[in-house]
Amino acid sequence: MFLSRLLLWLCYGVLGTAGLSSAVFAEVAPEAEVKAAVVFNLLSFIQWPIGWQPTSRSLHLCTFEASSIERELSRHSGKPVHGLFLVIRRIAGSAEELEQCQAVFVESANPSALARAAATASSQPLLVVGEGAWALERGAMIGVSLVSGRVALDVDTVALRRSRLVASSKLLRLARTLIE
Amino acid sequence: MRPFIVLFALSLASGSAASTDGLSSMSLEDLLRVEVAGASRYAQPLSEAPSAVSIVAAEDIRRFGFRTLAESLQSVRGVYATNDRAYSYLGIRGFGRPGDYNSRILLLVDGDRRNDTIYDQAMVGHEGPVEMDWVKRVEFVPGPSSAIYGGNALFGIVNAVLWSGTDLEGSRVTAEAGSAGMARLGLLAGRGIKTGGQAGDWTVGLSVYRKRGGDVHFPEFVGVGGGDGIARGLDGERYAKAFAKLNLGGWHTSIALSSRHKDVPTAYFSTDFNAPGNFTLDQHAYADIGHAATLSENLTRDVRLHVGTYRYDGEYVFLSSSSVVGRDEARAQWWGAEYRLTWTGLEGHKLLLGAEAQRNGRVDQRYFDLSPRTNHLDSRHRGSSVGFFVQDEWRFAPRWMTNLGLRADRITNFGTALSPRAALIHHPIPEASMKLIHGRAFRPPNAYERFYHDGNNTQKPSAGLRPERIATTELAADMAVTPTLRLGASVYRYRMRNLVEQITDPADGLLVFVNQSPIHARGAELEAEAMLTGGWRLRGSIAAQRTHQDSGGEPANSPRRLSKLLADGPLFDTGWAFGLNLQSIGSRLSANGSRVPAHVAGNLVLRQGEAAKGGEWSVGLYNLSGRRHLDPSSSEHVQNALPQDGRQIRVRWESALQ
């Protein structure tokens, strides 16, 4: 058993290095599409506080900058999440704008937006999703990053609780890094 | 034999490109198993470097109308830019040695080194291989980063991240016109690719620029040849740049070309004043190909081969003094390979192992008189370097992380250099973070410093130069105090040994490069960003530093105070937005010891807030006051300080096509 695993590993290494096999996994898709699909999907695994209602029939996922991920996210707009319609909205980041958001997605390029979104989340339920391996260190509750060519999730449940949000146990199971 | 069969079956199947519809019907669990296409999946973004990284985002480049990397970096705390009407230079935290050709700064484009192998120059003005329109964001990492990148990364790294096809999904055409007969045309285009089992994207950029150039007044030259001290029509500049990149499957390849010609009006190196024919020409060509692969669930591998050439031509007119025109020619060619493994098999750790090798096949410098042809310098060298590095990023407790790195470099003639770096990062609450960083870096003297001379007319060869070394310690904190107010601060201490600097040897009166006595610097930076009502945003920073040399005195071009103020937002209900950018820089010494006064400079850019049909217009006013500020000059100038551009206007039109 050990030998066959070792052989398999060696083969991956040799073939991978020779460039013969760039795709040993079943599905291949552009980074922005996968990340956007993951962000859209994980909204369903977050519970906003009971009695807390958005003013309209929509759930606002706000972004700060034009990016390929934002464009892919907007393909999911109008889809139902928790019985509300998803709206993707670009904001400059003022306090009034942030008050209208139930979730924000912050590109890795914008760490200052992450810190300000985190400060907003201490006074209102706001899901803060950040891109990049260091998203949690910069104020995100959920980090969406690339590890070994696939999307990985980092989850900070303490930060989620502070904003009165609850992540489902399934999401926590899927997390690469979990702060509890 | 089973593993082999499984493996080959998988290789042949080679995966199927999932459509967006396919992805949105997938469960989260399945999405986390989808392999991401493209090379970026393995690159560690510089924004994740263990340092107080500053980022100039795409929106900021538009808001403030930054025209070069140098201009964009001038908005970053602790950074200042100078210009000697030939090249742009960066000063960082009080280190901005006049005439050092930015050799202590590492310039990366999409993570790949762009310093040449003769002057080690990080070209951040029009002379560089990057066009601002291609730049999605500029990342600046202050402090030494030799632990990953090897030589040159002493004072900081500048990384220009270019737009990619998936960001663009179409093309952008730009046209600009401005003061001093400036005109520029640009094209940037790109798209995502999905073919068969593969996904990726392509991007191309083209740009041409021409500036007739105005008259420049140098008071030092009043009366020279009975003239009025004005260099007339000798400040022209033109360039052409192109790049293309392709990512497909695990493969990535890119090519970049640039050529810039600049007339130099300053009469440097004792050339004739107000005489045409003094110019510099800088040409770069780069190409690379790489492949990234997932070797196992926790192991990825990136390999890259690259080649580069750099060509410099310069002519110096001495017709009135010695009836000759001198010509400098520098030619460099290099090629190399990089190999990186990233392993995430141990929980909480991310381990990076890498090796780099580079061969400098051609490092040639010539200096001769054109007519009659007289050779003064014909220096031909070769060299090579090998580097190995390891880095571990470890989340050892909730909200605590360390980053430890070590690199060993072996360079022809300079033995082995070790560059360690250690960082401790803590974020007690989500909106705050603290970093303690210690790092060491080195820079071997470059070919220009070691081999250049002009036949002992004014400059003699510099023998026995030792590599420069720097050790720094920095404490940085960042916090969003309220949702609309973010504060950042850092304090640092730098110690630099063996600084290579050009001096005049008192024994024979010739210029020569020598290692200087140690330099110490201490400083602090404070930064604030506030969102105001009405969509207005205010950012400001103050940097204070003190630098002194063991041999006594204050180094040149080392301002003790730097302040920046940036404001932007919509212009009420006009549909236009403004970006105001003010810079204040304290007084500095020039290379010959005279004091250059402090100044404040400002730029204002107005642009259409929303892209309208028929394109988006913007108008930029650069140097609002119109006063010609002074930058310290280096030793090849007669002038104590060099006047900068007066007020300039730039009108820009951009149209995006899907």
Side-chain angles (χ1 to χ4, degrees):
Chain A
M1 192 59 196
F2 172 75
L3 193 66
S4 80
R5 281 179 74 98
L6 186 71
L7 273 173
L8 182 65
W9 192 89
L10 273 175
C11 276
Y12 280 167
V14 170
L15 281 187
T17 304
L20 290 173
S21 151
S22 66
V24 287
F25 301 98
E27 300 274 2
V28 178
E31 179 180 338
E33 287 183 26
V34 187
K35 282 184 172 170
V38 166
V39 172
F40 168 70
N41 239 279
L42 62 82
L43 295 175
S44 313
F45 294 90
I46 300 295
Q47 206 58 57
W48 274 262
I50 296 165
W52 174 83
Q53 289 289 331
T55 47
S56 62
R57 295 276 303 138
S58 47
L59 186 136
H60 288 247
L61 170 60
C62 301
T63 60
F64 289 84
E65 285 207 40
S67 70
S68 49
I69 298 178
E70 183 199 58
R71 186 173 40 240
E72 293 303 329
L73 274 173
S74 61
R75 290 179 199 247
H76 297 278
S77 64
K79 289 184 183 169
V81 180
H82 298 301
L84 303 167
F85 295 107
L86 181 67
V87 172
I88 309 295
R89 194 170 149 208
R90 168 104 55 89
I91 59 168
S94 68
E96 308 90 79
E97 285 175 315
L98 278 164
E99 270 171 30
Q100 303 298 314
C101 308
Q102 284 79 51
V104 291
F105 174 77
V106 182
E107 246 202 314
S108 61
N110 204 338
S112 82
L114 258 183
R116 284 188 287 111
T120 309
S122 62
S123 59
Q124 81 180 63
L126 176 70
L127 176 70
V128 182
V129 184
E131 189 193 9
W134 284 35
L136 295 195
E137 279 69 22
R138 289 182 170 157
M141 299 161 183
I142 299 182
V144 177
S145 62
L146 288 181
V147 176
S148 295
R150 281 159 297 166
V151 174
L153 293 175
D154 302 314
V155 181
D156 184 342
T157 58
V158 181
L160 280 163
R161 268 201 303 278
R162 210 166 69 123
S163 199
R164 294 185 288 143
L165 302 172
V166 180
S168 79
S169 55
K170 188 177 175 191
L171 181 66
L172 302 184
R173 256 200 327 276
L174 293 171
R176 173 187 70 136
T177 310
L178 189 60
I179 298 179
E180 288 179 295
Chain B
M1 287 305 284
R2 228 177 80 234
F4 288 95
I5 295 162
V6 171
L7 185 72
F8 278 117
L10 282 170
S11 296
L12 291 171
S14 131
S16 61
S19 69
T20 308
D21 291 342
L23 287 180
S24 52
S25 62
M26 284 166 80
S27 71
L28 187 58
E29 209 162 352
D30 289 338
L31 280 169
L32 299 181
R33 286 202 198 101
V34 172
E35 200 186 356
V36 166
S40 62
R41 58 190 176 157
Y42 302 110
Q44 183 189 22
L46 210 66
S47 54
E48 289 169 19
S51 186
V53 181
S54 292
I55 285 160
V56 183
E59 283 299 308
D60 289 336
I61 295 171
R62 293 170 83 88
R63 281 171 188 143
F64 301 107
F66 297 132
R67 297 169 295 181
T68 60
L69 287 175
E71 220 167 67
S72 71
L73 290 161
Q74 212 163 10
S75 71
V76 170
R77 70 191 200 200
V79 180
Y80 51 107
T82 60
N83 187 291
D84 65 1
R85 310 206 81 86
Y87 297 101
S88 288
Y89 306 91
L90 289 179
I92 296 168
R93 293 181 163 174
F95 285 92
R97 317 298 287 173
D100 79 346
Y101 296 113
N102 286 342
S103 58
R104 295 161 184 117
I105 294 158
L106 179 63
L107 174 65
L108 306 174
V109 175
D110 280 336
D112 298 330
R113 174 184 281 264
R114 285 290 181 263
N115 294 57
D116 69 82
T117 52
I118 290 179
Y119 307 96
D120 273 345
Q121 190 169 0
M123 294 199 176
V124 290
H126 285 155
E127 65 272 16
V130 184
E131 178 71 359
M132 214 52 202
D133 272 4
W134 307 341
V135 179
K136 182 182 178 186
R137 67 172 186 270
V138 184
E139 301 171 331
F140 176 71
V141 183
S145 295
S146 285
I148 293 278
Y149 292 96
N152 302 112
L154 261 65
F155 297 146
I157 301 184
V158 175
N159 184 28
V161 179
L162 305 188
W163 290 100
S164 69
T166 49
D167 293 319
L168 295 166
E169 288 296 350
S171 54
R172 292 178 192 170
V173 183
T174 49
E176 292 172 8
S179 308
M182 185 278 276
R184 190 187 148 275
L185 284 173
L187 169 74
L188 180 66
R191 280 202 186 282
I193 306 170
K194 271 192 251 180
T195 58
Q198 304 292 4
D201 66 350
W202 61 267
T203 321
V204 295
L206 289 169
S207 189
V208 288
Y209 171 99
R210 193 180 185 100
K211 186 176 180 179
R212 197 185 60 244
D215 301 341
V216 191
H217 180 239
F218 299 100
E220 291 85 350
F221 287 98
V222 172
V224 172
D228 53 6
I230 296 176
R232 288 196 161 75
L234 299 176
D235 196 31
E237 182 173 30
R238 58 180 187 269
Y239 69 72
K241 297 176 190 181
F243 95 101
K245 62 178 177 177
L246 174 72
N247 293 306
L248 193 60
W251 294 91
H252 53 99
T253 181
S254 72
I255 184 164
L257 304 165
S258 72
S259 174
R260 198 250 348 204
H261 183 285
K262 176 79 178 65
D263 295 323
V264 183
T266 57
Y268 61 167
F269 298 108
S270 312
T271 49
D272 295 352
F273 181 72
N274 197 24
N278 291 306
F279 73 84
T280 66
L281 174 73
D282 293 273
Q283 296 183 325
H284 302 257
Y286 302 94
D288 75 338
I289 184 163
H291 183 260
T294 304
L295 304 184
S296 78
E297 199 182 333
N298 296 314
L299 187 66
T300 59
R301 185 275 286 130
D302 198 359
V303 58
R304 179 175 161 263
L305 302 172
H306 62 97
V307 295
T309 70
Y310 169 68
R311 171 191 167 125
Y312 166 76
D313 288 345
E315 287 188 5
Y316 311 92
V317 178
F318 304 105
L319 290 172
S320 66
S321 56
S322 52
S323 306
V324 292
V325 174
R327 185 176 168 91
D328 253 336
E329 290 184 354
R331 303 284 183 270
Q333 283 174 9
W334 63 93
W335 52 92
E338 296 172 8
Y339 187 92
R340 281 183 187 211
L341 287 173
T342 310
W343 187 60
T344 48
L346 206 58
E347 189 165 345
H349 287 267
K350 183 178 179 183
L351 195 67
L352 180 68
L353 272 171
E356 285 177 16
Q358 182 167 314
R359 175 75 186 155
N360 299 327
R362 192 175 180 199
V363 185
D364 295 356
Q365 297 178 85
R366 280 187 294 278
Y367 180 72
F368 52 88
D369 296 339
L370 275 179
S371 168
R373 168 103 183 202
T374 313
N375 288 336
H376 297 293
L377 169 72
D378 189 357
S379 150
R380 291 156 200 259
H381 290 270
R382 288 159 194 270
S384 53
S385 60
V386 190
F388 297 94
F389 59 93
V390 56
Q391 177 185 273
D392 186 29
E393 205 174 276
W394 182 24
R395 278 192 169 96
F396 63 95
R399 307 189 184 286
W400 287 90
M401 186 188 254
T402 63
N403 185 298
L404 302 171
L406 180 68
R407 176 166 167 139
D409 280 280
R410 198 171 171 80
I411 296 162
T412 306
N413 295 325
F414 289 105
T416 305
L418 283 180
S419 311
R421 177 171 65 184
L424 181 67
I425 296 127
H426 178 48
H427 66 124
I429 48 171
E431 57 267 36
S433 72
M434 290 186 288
K435 299 182 181 107
L436 178 66
I437 309 142
H438 178 77
R440 287 163 189 266
F442 77 102
R443 180 185 76 94
N446 60 43
Y448 171 68
E449 290 159 344
R450 290 171 66 201
F451 306 126
Y452 187 84
H453 66 86
D454 58 1
N456 290 347
N457 282 330
T458 63
Q459 191 166 341
K460 64 179 181 179
S462 311
L465 288 175
R466 296 186 305 279
E468 296 177 343
R469 288 174 194 279
I470 192 168
T472 75
T473 307
E474 179 173 0
L475 179 66
D478 200 283
M479 182 174 183
V481 185
T482 71
T484 53
L485 179 66
R486 188 180 70 90
L487 297 176
S490 48
V491 289
Y492 60 85
R493 198 172 65 189
Y494 283 24
R495 182 172 186 273
M496 185 157 189
R497 286 184 295 138
N498 299 342
L499 181 87
V500 175
E501 197 157 67
Q502 195 172 41
I503 60 150
T504 303
D505 188 339
D508 50 20
L510 293 174
L511 291 168
V512 65
F513 284 101
V514 293
N515 289 111
Q516 292 279 34
S517 62
I519 296 184
H520 304 266
R522 285 162 187 270
E525 293 163 354
L526 202 62
E527 181 177 50
E529 179 180 7
M531 303 295 303
L532 310 177
T533 50
W536 286 27
R537 196 174 61 136
L538 207 57
R539 273 190 294 165
S541 71
I542 300 172
Q545 62 83 24
R546 211 165 183 143
T547 307
H548 74 273
Q549 204 147 0
D550 273 6
S551 56
E554 170 191 333
N557 193 23
S558 181
R560 288 195 179 162
R561 297 278 181 281
L562 281 177
S563 331
K564 293 145 201 280
L565 186 68
L566 291 96
D568 68 87
L571 259 185
F572 311 107
D573 292 328
T574 57
W576 286 66
F578 78 97
L580 177 69
N581 169 7
L582 298 172
Q583 317 276 337
S584 144
I585 184 163
S587 74
R588 301 166 276 176
L589 290 180
S590 71
N592 64 9
S594 62
R595 193 154 282 279
V596 178
H599 74 252
V600 180
N603 304 329
L604 176 67
V605 173
L606 301 174
R607 72 187 164 92
Q608 278 176 303
E610 289 294 322
K613 270 189 185 155
E616 180 190 290
W617 289 87
S618 74
V619 180
L621 280 172
Y622 297 85
N623 191 358
L624 284 168
S625 75
R627 212 177 142 230
R628 282 180 177 261
H629 310 292
L630 297 171
D631 277 344
S633 58
S634 47
S635 50
E636 68 262 32
H637 297 97
V638 170
Q639 300 92 326
N640 298 330
L642 296 169
Q644 301 302 298
D645 284 329
R647 189 182 298 115
Q648 303 151 77
I649 185 166
R650 179 183 81 161
V651 180
R652 177 185 161 91
W653 171 82
E654 175 175 334
S655 180
L657 309 165
Q658 288 301 309

